[in-house]
Amino acid sequence: MKLLRLLVLFLTVPAVAQQGGMWIPSLLSGLNEKEMKSLGMKMKAEDIYSVNHSSLKDAVPQFDGGCTAEVISPQGLLLTNHHCGYDNIQSHSTLEHDYLTNGFWAMSQAEELPNPGVVVTFIVSIDDVTTKVLEGTQSLSEEARQKKIQENITSLTKSLPKESWQENSIRTFYEGNQYIRFITETFKDIRLVGAPPSSIGKFGSDTDNWVWPRHTGDFSMFRIYAGKDNRPAEYSKDNVPYKPKHFLPVNIGGVKENDFTMVFGYPGRTTEYLPAVAVEQIVNVLDPAKIEIRDAALKVEDGFMRKDPQIKIQYASKYAGIANYWKKWIGEVQGLKKSNAVAIKRNYEAQFTQWVSKAGKQAEYGNLLPDFEVQYKAIEPYALGRDYFVEVALRNTELLTIGYRLYQLEQVYNAKGAQSFTDRKNNTIASLEATYKDYSKAVDEKVFEQLIALYINKVPKQFLPDALLNANAAQLTADVYGKSGLVSYEGVKQLLAGEPAAVIQKLNADKGYQLIKAMTAAYMEKVAPKYEEINLKITALQRTYMKAILELSPKDARIFPDANSTLRITYGKVKGYEPRDAVYYEPVTYLDGVIEKYVPNDYEFDVPQKLIELYNKKDYGQYGENGKMPVCFIGTNHTTGGNSGSPAIDAKGNLIGLNFDRVWEGTMSDIHYDPNICRNIMVDMRYVLFIVDKFAGAGHLVKEMKLVK
Ligand code: ARG
Ligand code: ASP
């Protein structure tokens, strides 16, 4: 028994250590390759990234800045998430053609819908430019150093060789210890090809968001169009479908537990190398504050949305936006606590201290950890003040958010004069029309009352503007919402009408405007400068800490750079997990689960009639498996925001799934990845094809693809 235990321990430890990490595809090490092969990968590193011949990276662009997509046909057909294409699907929707509700399918290329402003960016090549970026920065003060680095980056971005239709982009890795240049190509004519109804693409909505078991068909399809020379071009009806250097074949052979998977994409931001003291602050101070603010806003909105269908439509997207990270932070705090992240970090730091002394590097690295303690203590009130300002004023109270935009207008007037002011004013007036279309004074007023009360009570007193010191939230609310012009589009237009000087005068006499201006001024004077000052010190410490970790860790340590919206690969296995005692979650869900969750006419859990019919007839075509239709699966790939729409790729480089979320218990993976409970969630490609082919009758799209088994 004992021996067996020991054996199991030895056998499982290395397997666990092979998980996690977001790696730069051009810099995969022998160790990465060995791990990937031991997990079952059948490709060479050259197949993943190569500058000499086409490789996987040529099929995986960033989608519109924030998501990932993949090319899945020789005619530039592009797959991403429904939630990534959501805004575009929405903007083509009208009451007569409600594509959000009913879905949209172009039955020919002529029917595909252009999306002005949407872009898709491919990586052409990746190379290290650290020496060039750091030139002339030695022995500069931190502030001067940052400035010089920025200057170097700006000039290198202009001067490094590339083709005329390409872009240079230089990004930092390992917190300022490495700089990498990407040559990119950005396509600007991206047309909507298809989207399932929200009852499939957003099935489960906010209730199921960040949750496993999941049953969402979170996908949509676009097509990249290029000029006749196959290069990026502005929209033109004469553009032609882009011929990609590589597209992903789709494997409909299916997945099972322990299969190798790899996710390729553009993860946005992680902070995996924070010291324990920083994680403690997130868990105990910053996340709880943000959760409390959003909790209050969501409760108010939800109350109104349940009673009033008009408000439900107006606030659906805003609500989902606020709820997404509110829910993520709650999971993050629980996960960090449950996985003992702080204690694990403290242990690591004890070990780190030993490395430092063994290497005789006390002079260089010996003060790092104590300095972190000092600086994080020092920044705490400022970080809190900043989070309150961002969450209350800039994010969740509409009147203040709108007021802030007008405040920026006044800044333009002061800095650049009347003409710039008028140009920007006209843009602001135009864009505010859409804002007010979805604005309810009643909702916003209640949100304001709750959030301003939190602001008054929770923001450290010394950071409050006079207007909020000892203010009474209810009275202030009645005053602002009774008198401010910002509570309606008409009111704002009146405030903004007339000569620049007169407009500025009117604004400054407005109750709502006065408040946001006072809040901003207090923030700018009392919080921001000190926050920036300490943050600069923390940035420098973090850079040195990262350098020390890279230098002193054992040779085989797996140290990956934090996510920074650049192309990465992460690999792992299809795997279930144990969310809590005695409960095991299987790694695959089926259409049966959709039917189990079905609530007729519910805004989250309704199911289209056609899908129910297909289910009843078990009419799954070539996509089913033993009479069942797979829907989603999970794996140990280390992903984050921005990985939405990323391809999940099998051992041979075929597409098997589409990444879109993570499991609730593992949302702390941005700070501390625990292979026991961190899982990414993917839609099974067989479900995607089944919906396209059997549900939507758009089999011509499947014919474009290359299917393998
Ligand atoms: N949680 C996923 C990601 O962060 C999906 C979000 C979209 N879905 C939603 N119900 N809000 O972005
Ligand atoms: N849902 C996220 C995204 O939109 C992915 C994640 O955070 O796991 O990128």
Side-chain angles (χ1 to χ4, degrees):
M1 182 68 196
K2 261 220 177 109
L3 184 71
L4 193 71
R5 269 245 175 106
L6 215 68
L7 247 167
V8 168
L9 246 177
F10 271 112
L11 286 176
T12 51
V13 166
V16 163
Q18 291 169 355
Q19 315 283 313
M22 309 167 165
W23 310 90
I24 306 170
S26 58
L27 297 176
L28 291 176
S29 67
L31 184 71
N32 290 132
E33 222 179 322
K34 211 170 102 191
E35 281 180 2
M36 291 164 88
K37 291 212 162 121
S38 81
L39 290 166
M41 187 187 69
K42 301 279 188 289
M43 288 176 285
K44 300 189 293 291
E46 270 275 291
D47 300 326
I48 295 170
Y49 175 89
S50 167
V51 274
N52 302 315
H53 54 84
S54 67
S55 54
L56 289 182
K57 74 131 175 49
D58 297 313
V60 188
Q62 188 171 39
F63 182 83
D64 212 25
C67 282
T68 305
E70 50 278 352
V71 185
I72 54 170
S73 92
Q75 299 175 57
L77 189 62
L78 200 62
L79 179 67
T80 188
N81 290 143
H82 186 264
H83 79 260
C84 295
Y86 197 79
D87 285 348
N88 307 302
I89 304 165
Q90 175 174 41
S91 72
H92 291 295
S93 296
T94 59
L95 276 179
E96 299 82 62
H97 303 285
D98 186 351
Y99 301 142
L100 274 185
T101 305
N102 305 315
F104 167 78
W105 299 96
M107 288 303 163
S108 69
Q109 290 183 355
E111 288 178 16
E112 296 173 359
L113 301 172
N115 301 281
V118 172
V119 298
V120 150
T121 301
F122 288 90
I123 306 289
V124 179
S125 68
I126 306 178
D127 61 326
D128 189 295
V129 292
T130 310
T131 324
K132 290 183 184 126
V133 169
L134 295 182
E135 217 163 77
T137 62
Q138 291 75 12
S139 73
L140 292 182
S141 76
E142 188 56 27
E143 221 179 315
R145 185 179 185 277
Q146 296 298 350
K147 198 162 155 262
K148 178 75 184 156
I149 288 174
Q150 268 326 309
E151 287 167 12
N152 287 352
I153 288 178
T154 309
S155 85
L156 286 166
T157 303
K158 287 198 193 109
S159 64
L160 287 173
K162 58 163 185 70
E163 303 294 345
S164 60
W165 63 89
Q166 301 175 332
E167 250 42 83
N168 279 323
S169 152
I170 297 176
R171 314 298 289 271
T172 180
F173 290 74
Y174 293 112
E175 333 283 346
N177 286 287
Q178 186 178 21
Y179 289 85
I180 289 180
R181 184 263 300 242
F182 297 83
I183 298 184
T184 63
E185 281 180 10
T186 297
F187 289 82
K188 297 176 181 136
D189 185 350
I190 311 300
R191 303 189 195 165
L192 179 63
V193 173
S198 292
S199 50
I200 292 173
K202 207 181 175 215
F203 182 72
S205 196
D206 291 310
T207 299
D208 267 11
N209 191 21
W210 302 109
V211 165
W212 184 257
R214 188 67 153 275
H215 298 86
T216 313
D218 194 345
F219 78 96
S220 60
M221 287 181 181
F222 291 79
R223 191 185 304 282
I224 306 173
Y225 280 77
K228 297 239 155 56
D229 55 5
N230 206 37
R231 288 191 192 137
E234 295 296 333
Y235 170 78
S236 156
K237 62 177 181 12
D238 299 330
N239 284 345
V240 293
Y242 169 64
K243 288 187 222 47
K245 290 183 218 155
H246 184 70
F247 67 90
L248 300 178
V250 181
N251 178 358
I252 56 166
V255 294
K256 52 182 191 319
E257 187 141 25
N258 291 318
D259 278 356
F260 172 82
T261 62
M262 175 174 120
V263 171
F264 223 127
Y266 297 82
R269 191 174 134 78
T270 59
T271 47
E272 311 279 352
Y273 303 95
L274 291 176
V277 59
V279 178
E280 240 168 349
Q281 191 167 84
I282 291 170
V283 173
N284 297 329
V285 182
L286 301 179
D287 271 1
K290 293 187 289 188
I291 292 166
E292 186 182 21
I293 294 165
R294 290 198 178 192
D295 200 42
L298 289 169
K299 280 207 179 95
V300 172
E301 290 186 7
D302 184 59
F304 280 93
M305 287 164 76
R306 278 176 194 280
K307 281 187 293 210
D308 185 334
Q310 165 77 7
I311 289 178
K312 194 169 116 185
I313 295 173
Q314 288 179 315
Y315 280 75
S317 167
K318 278 181 270 199
Y319 185 92
I322 302 171
N324 193 31
Y325 264 63
W326 164 77
K327 197 163 176 185
K328 191 219 157 189
W329 289 323
I330 297 175
E332 183 171 279
V333 169
Q334 286 182 11
L336 288 170
K337 284 184 180 160
K338 195 171 167 194
S339 64
N340 292 316
V342 172
I344 290 173
K345 293 249 172 207
R346 292 259 178 237
N347 270 336
Y348 178 82
E349 286 166 12
Q351 198 184 35
F352 175 83
T353 306
Q354 285 178 4
W355 295 342
V356 171
S357 73
K358 260 207 208 108
K361 293 267 182 177
Q362 276 97 341
E364 206 178 334
Y365 303 135
N367 284 330
L368 277 174
L369 295 171
D371 284 353
F372 269 132
E373 302 285 331
V374 172
Q375 297 307 335
Y376 272 102
K377 281 282 157 303
I379 206 169
E380 187 163 300
Y382 301 95
L384 194 63
R386 182 171 184 268
D387 278 349
Y388 271 99
F389 182 70
V390 171
E391 287 291 317
V392 173
L394 304 188
R395 185 79 174 72
N396 296 311
T397 310
E398 291 167 278
L399 180 135
L400 295 177
T401 308
I402 294 165
Y404 185 78
R405 290 172 65 181
L406 305 183
Y407 168 80
Q408 288 176 308
L409 258 181
E410 184 175 351
Q411 302 301 107
V412 169
Y413 179 72
N414 294 338
K416 297 194 179 150
Q419 190 52 50
S420 303
F421 171 82
T422 305
D423 293 345
R424 177 132 170 195
K425 183 184 93 171
N426 292 334
N427 288 337
T428 306
I429 294 175
S431 81
L432 281 176
E433 184 169 0
T435 309
Y436 280 102
K437 188 176 132 273
D438 289 339
Y439 180 80
S440 154
K441 179 186 165 196
V443 177
D444 189 41
E445 182 169 354
K446 272 278 169 265
V447 171
F448 176 94
E449 186 172 348
Q450 298 289 318
L451 266 47
I452 210 72
L454 286 172
Y455 206 88
I456 294 167
N457 294 325
K458 300 284 175 90
V459 172
K461 286 277 168 284
Q462 68 271 28
F463 300 155
L464 287 177
D466 289 343
L468 291 181
L469 263 182
N470 312 316
N472 172 297
Q475 241 164 39
L476 182 68
T477 307
D479 199 28
V480 169
Y481 284 77
K483 292 182 186 147
S484 173
L486 302 181
V487 296
S488 72
Y489 190 42
E490 282 314 309
V492 173
K493 279 196 294 192
Q494 272 173 28
L495 281 172
L496 292 178
E499 290 307 308
V503 172
I504 300 294
Q505 215 176 18
K506 276 191 283 176
L507 282 175
N508 280 286
D510 183 272
K511 277 276 169 214
Y513 188 81
Q514 285 171 353
L515 179 63
I516 181 66
K517 190 171 172 177
M519 287 171 77
T520 307
Y523 173 76
M524 294 296 185
E525 267 166 44
K526 300 172 180 175
V527 181
K530 197 78 188 163
Y531 176 86
E532 305 291 344
E533 181 194 316
I534 306 172
N535 197 40
L536 204 61
K537 290 185 192 153
I538 290 179
T539 306
L541 287 173
Q542 192 70 49
R543 182 177 71 241
T544 311
Y545 186 43
M546 195 71 237
K547 175 166 175 273
I549 290 174
L550 287 165
E551 203 176 295
L552 303 176
S553 299
K555 281 281 157 290
D556 58 351
R558 307 168 75 264
I559 305 167
F560 57 92
D562 268 319
N564 59 356
S565 294
T566 62
L567 184 61
R568 301 295 179 89
I569 77 164
T570 168
Y571 46 84
K573 289 181 177 196
V574 176
K575 216 161 185 42
Y577 69 107
E578 227 176 84
R580 52 190 181 277
D581 186 36
V583 177
Y584 182 73
Y585 280 160
E586 297 288 339
V588 178
T589 58
Y590 295 92
L591 196 53
D592 307 63
V594 174
I595 303 301
E596 279 171 13
K597 286 179 178 174
Y598 173 41
V599 181
N601 298 320
D602 183 68
Y603 85 106
E604 297 192 302
F605 290 102
D606 200 10
V607 176
Q609 209 45 48
K610 175 95 184 271
L611 188 57
I612 298 175
E613 282 161 25
L614 289 166
Y615 173 77
N616 287 337
K617 286 190 280 183
K618 304 283 172 276
D619 185 3
Y620 305 144
Q622 59 179 328
Y623 312 111
E625 181 185 277
N626 304 327
K628 289 173 76 145
M629 186 65 237
V631 174
C632 293
F633 64 101
I634 51 175
T636 58
N637 306 289
H638 187 176
T639 54
T640 187
N643 268 124
S644 277
S646 292
I649 292 170
D650 70 5
K652 293 181 179 158
N654 304 306
L655 184 63
I656 47 173
L658 174 64
N659 184 72
F660 70 101
D661 208 2
R662 280 170 285 163
V663 306
W664 171 249
E665 296 80 4
T667 48
M668 85 293 193
S669 65
D670 292 345
I671 295 169
H672 173 66
Y673 180 85
D674 181 343
N676 290 314
I677 51 170
C678 292
R679 296 289 180 272
N680 70 311
I681 308 181
M682 300 153 274
V683 197
D684 194 309
M685 275 313 288
R686 292 172 295 178
Y687 190 56
V688 171
L689 298 193
F690 161 74
I691 295 296
V692 171
D693 190 349
K694 287 286 181 176
F695 175 83
H700 62 285
L701 294 173
V702 178
K703 289 213 178 76
E704 258 186 57
M705 304 171 200
K706 182 176 164 194
L707 304 193
V708 299
K709 270 207 176 175

